[in-house]
Amino acid sequence: MFSLRTTLRRRGSIAALVAALGAAAAAAGGGPSSITPQELREWLGYIASDELQGRAVFSEGLGLAGGYIVEHLRDWGVKPGGDPGQYLQTVRVLGVKTTSHSSVTVRVGKETRTFADGEGITFPKNMGGKRTVTIDRVEFVGYGLDAPGASHTDYGGKDVAGAAVVWLGAAGPKDLDQAAYRRLLAGRNRYATEQRGAAASIGPPAAPGAGRGGAGRGGATGAADGVDFTTVQRLDAAAPPNLTAADAFFEFVFSRAPSTYDELKRKAAAQEPLPSFRLADVAITFTIDPAYDVVRTQTTHNVVGIVEGSDPQLKNTFVAFGAHYDHVGYAERELSREAGARRPGAPGRVTPGAEEDRIWNGADDDGSGTVAVMAIARAFAAGAKPKRSLLFVWHAGEERGLWGSRYFADYPTVPMDRIVAQLNIDMIGRNRDDKASEANTVYLVGSDRISSELHAVNRAANAAMTRPLTLDYEFNDPADLEQLYFRSDHYSYAAKGVPIIFFTTGLHPDYHANTDEVSKIEFDKMARITQMIFETGVRVANLDHAPARDNKGPRAGRLTQ
Ligand SMILES: [Zn+2]
């Protein structure tokens, strides 16, 4: 005899079957209409399930997620694009110890002094490959900070391209909210070399209590486990010197300057306004001479698939789509009831009231991007082929410092100069801060920075949709407090000169919390964003030329559109 519950369950399963058949029919034809909320929900239901244990890199859960993606790619006829003949690309994560013989030689007028690494000047442990570079244009840029939102601009229109930049004042200027601006303050060396084009940047050590960040390459440091740093990148690549210096160095550099170092140091300590000026007749020679000892190698995998284009020539070039399929994992330690309920050793935030939940499901971050890229891959595999080929990469270890994408960018499975654009999807399943007013909004970061043409193609693709999304460029501002441009996988491609767009619906209270769950995902919105990204990709893949790389930098955001 049927119980009422059984009947309901059966009815439910028939409805599910009908929905699945409908989705299968749509999928058969490929194209944007094959991207449906139902399927995104089904796939995410697995990717963000407790069974996958939060998908931490090197975990069983991440392996299951990778296997699930591979299985689908094989079903859909997407070709393997990883290690030869494989969907997986092995990513080697190196633990490295550094012995440094590096130094800096400063010439002021006719006087010269050399500072060894650790004596007046400190190189990051990951300082790039051996080389010597002399820079004879040295610019003092005050606090080295552009924070127009706080009415503080040190660079303004000043061109520091190719110069060595020197800045002071670890704590930043007075009246600057240090907590809100911590990423900008900590990222000043990176800002100088990566955004302003400086050839080197030298500042004081971080203020006590400030977070790390900005200095060095390759993200994560690993001092706690007996290595100097952890990296997936080539150790021999040239990196602009990003150094910290002590009083002895600054005293000499400023010895003939319009202001003495004592005076500048006093002002910086008092957080008073600092001047900026060129350090005339000063040259700095950086002798970068490290010996790297790889003391540990761990492996994980990117998942890579390819759908071939239709044009005999253009199919040798690629439009890349990416997301990260890892998240932060689960809490191994037991709940502590002393001093309130706590999860010691939790991999992320614990939402009050959800202390019992020990799995960080990462439904939005980045389960949403993971299944969106699956849907795009299937839409291309089953549908009409554009001229260019499509490359799909599910990156591992993004949460640990963009590992998968940094590795791919240094060891690409197709030549990097044949990737004409990279469209990165990280967190597209929510409304920013859970606001209903955000229901139609998607944030784009970086779309205009490398290629104005890519930016225009995306806007046209969105405008042509039945229901265009609201495109918001707020986070594209170089002074964005969250510095999102540096915080997902597209950045690894951008650093190699590839035009990128980073798509996200923004941060929310469940970001990196144990309550980032499937039940909170806006699947209709997510499907529309995924379709818009697909349409952008089709247009780029059918261009007869690669999107022009005019490198005009970030403009959308401040000027809007
Ligand atoms: Zn994340």
Side-chain angles (χ1 to χ4, degrees):
M1 200 196 258
F2 288 88
S3 75
L4 182 60
R5 260 183 87 202
T6 317
T7 314
L8 281 175
R9 200 182 301 140
R10 288 218 159 183
R11 225 176 263 155
S13 67
I14 289 165
L17 184 66
V18 170
L21 287 172
S33 62
S34 71
I35 299 168
T36 65
Q38 293 77 13
E39 269 182 323
L40 294 172
R41 181 189 296 274
E42 181 198 321
W43 300 335
L44 191 60
Y46 179 71
I47 292 289
S49 64
D50 281 359
E51 196 181 335
L52 268 55
Q53 304 162 339
R55 308 186 304 281
V57 71
F58 309 130
S59 77
E60 194 174 304
L62 186 72
L64 287 170
Y68 182 80
I69 298 166
V70 166
E71 223 174 85
H72 281 85
L73 297 182
R74 197 173 277 132
D75 271 4
W76 299 332
V78 176
K79 293 189 173 165
D83 296 335
Q86 308 290 317
Y87 288 102
L88 300 182
Q89 178 190 32
T90 303
V91 174
R92 288 181 294 278
V93 182
L94 310 178
V96 183
K97 280 195 91 66
T98 306
T99 309
S100 172
H101 304 289
S102 298
S103 63
V104 168
T105 298
V106 184
R107 181 184 60 75
V108 179
K110 290 195 170 74
E111 217 185 323
T112 295
R113 281 185 62 182
T114 294
F115 300 86
D117 189 1
E119 292 165 20
I121 193 101
T122 303
F123 284 73
K125 293 294 186 185
N126 186 0
M127 61 187 84
K130 185 180 165 93
R131 70 190 178 117
T132 299
V133 56
T134 297
I135 301 169
D136 57 10
R137 192 180 138 215
V138 183
E139 294 280 354
F140 174 55
V141 293
Y143 287 97
L145 181 73
D146 279 347
S151 304
H152 185 96
T153 308
D154 283 310
Y155 288 91
K158 188 191 273 267
D159 177 12
V160 296
V165 152
V166 174
W167 54 273
L168 294 173
K174 205 178 283 176
D175 299 329
L176 189 82
D177 179 342
Q178 286 208 26
Y181 279 85
R182 75 195 152 87
R183 288 182 192 275
L184 261 71
L185 288 168
R188 281 178 279 178
N189 271 345
R190 181 178 67 190
Y191 178 69
T193 56
E194 297 184 25
Q195 298 299 296
R196 308 295 310 199
S201 179
I202 304 169
R212 300 186 65 94
R217 307 188 307 133
T221 53
D225 48 5
V227 300
D228 287 324
F229 65 94
T230 298
T231 189
V232 295
Q233 290 179 287
R234 301 183 68 101
L235 291 164
D236 57 359
N242 280 344
L243 312 184
T244 59
D247 288 344
F249 173 87
F250 290 123
E251 263 157 25
F252 185 61
V253 164
F254 286 104
S255 55
R256 290 193 180 188
S259 308
T260 65
Y261 175 58
D262 277 354
E263 176 67 8
L264 296 170
K265 188 184 175 186
R266 186 196 62 72
K267 284 184 175 165
Q271 299 182 285
E272 289 169 12
L274 291 175
S276 68
F277 45 76
R278 178 155 181 189
L279 287 150
D281 207 11
V282 175
I284 305 181
T285 298
F286 299 87
T287 304
I288 302 160
D289 186 8
Y292 296 122
D293 192 9
V294 175
V295 295
R296 186 187 65 207
T297 301
Q298 294 165 284
T299 55
T300 180
H301 297 102
N302 290 330
V303 180
V304 189
I306 288 172
V307 170
E308 263 187 25
S310 58
D311 183 278
Q313 246 65 59
L314 291 176
K315 74 174 188 183
N316 296 318
T317 65
F318 299 84
V319 177
F321 298 83
H324 69 91
Y325 75 108
D326 69 306
H327 193 51
V328 298
Y330 61 94
E332 294 179 13
R333 309 256 308 266
E334 296 311 310
L335 193 61
S336 158
R337 305 242 171 232
E338 297 152 29
R342 288 190 313 117
R343 273 273 176 222
R349 293 183 304 111
V350 176
T351 298
E355 289 83 1
E356 301 287 345
D357 184 350
R358 54 165 65 193
I359 299 175
W360 274 249
N361 300 93
D364 191 27
D365 185 8
D366 184 23
S368 63
T370 298
V371 300
V373 176
M374 286 172 66
I376 293 169
R378 205 264 310 270
F380 276 114
K385 305 295 179 284
K387 293 175 182 166
R388 289 196 168 71
S389 296
L390 300 315
L391 175 75
F392 306 95
V393 187
W394 290 263
H395 303 101
E398 189 268 359
E399 301 287 9
R400 297 286 292 273
L402 315 185
W403 283 351
S405 58
R406 287 183 197 268
Y407 187 86
F408 189 90
D410 270 16
Y411 304 95
T413 60
V414 305
M416 276 309 264
D417 59 7
R418 294 200 190 158
I419 300 178
V420 303
Q422 200 266 353
L423 308 179
N424 180 46
I425 312 175
D426 194 354
M427 300 173 62
I428 55 159
R430 298 283 293 263
N431 293 329
R432 181 187 182 188
D433 294 332
D434 286 335
K435 287 186 184 141
S437 59
E438 293 274 318
N440 199 50
T441 299
V442 59
Y443 292 87
L444 286 78
V445 190
S447 59
D448 63 346
R449 294 193 183 208
I450 298 170
S451 171
S452 305
E453 189 176 7
L454 177 63
H455 178 76
V457 168
N458 167 256
R459 291 191 63 76
N462 182 57
M465 299 201 35
T466 327
R467 287 169 63 208
L469 289 137
T470 305
L471 307 182
D472 195 312
Y473 300 94
E474 178 184 332
F475 300 118
N476 189 44
D477 194 301
D480 161 40
L481 295 180
E482 292 290 347
Q483 294 284 284
L484 290 188
Y485 182 64
F486 300 100
R487 286 171 60 188
S488 188
D489 294 313
H490 60 278
Y491 184 67
S492 306
Y493 295 81
K496 300 285 183 188
V498 177
I500 60 92
I501 307 178
F502 168 27
F503 299 89
T504 182
T505 45
L507 302 176
H508 47 72
D510 298 307
Y511 171 68
H512 276 218
N514 58 343
T515 45
D516 176 4
E517 289 174 350
V518 177
S519 59
K520 298 183 176 175
I521 297 294
E522 307 281 347
F523 284 99
D524 290 334
K525 176 182 184 181
M526 194 174 136
R528 288 175 55 218
I529 296 171
T530 308
Q531 289 171 348
M532 186 266 283
I533 298 168
F534 172 89
E535 297 284 11
T536 303
V538 171
R539 285 172 185 241
V540 177
N542 279 325
L543 286 177
D544 59 5
H545 60 281
R549 303 181 180 191
D550 52 358
N551 288 299
K552 288 193 174 164
R555 286 151 291 144
R558 281 170 302 173
L559 311 172
T560 36
Q561 332 276 284

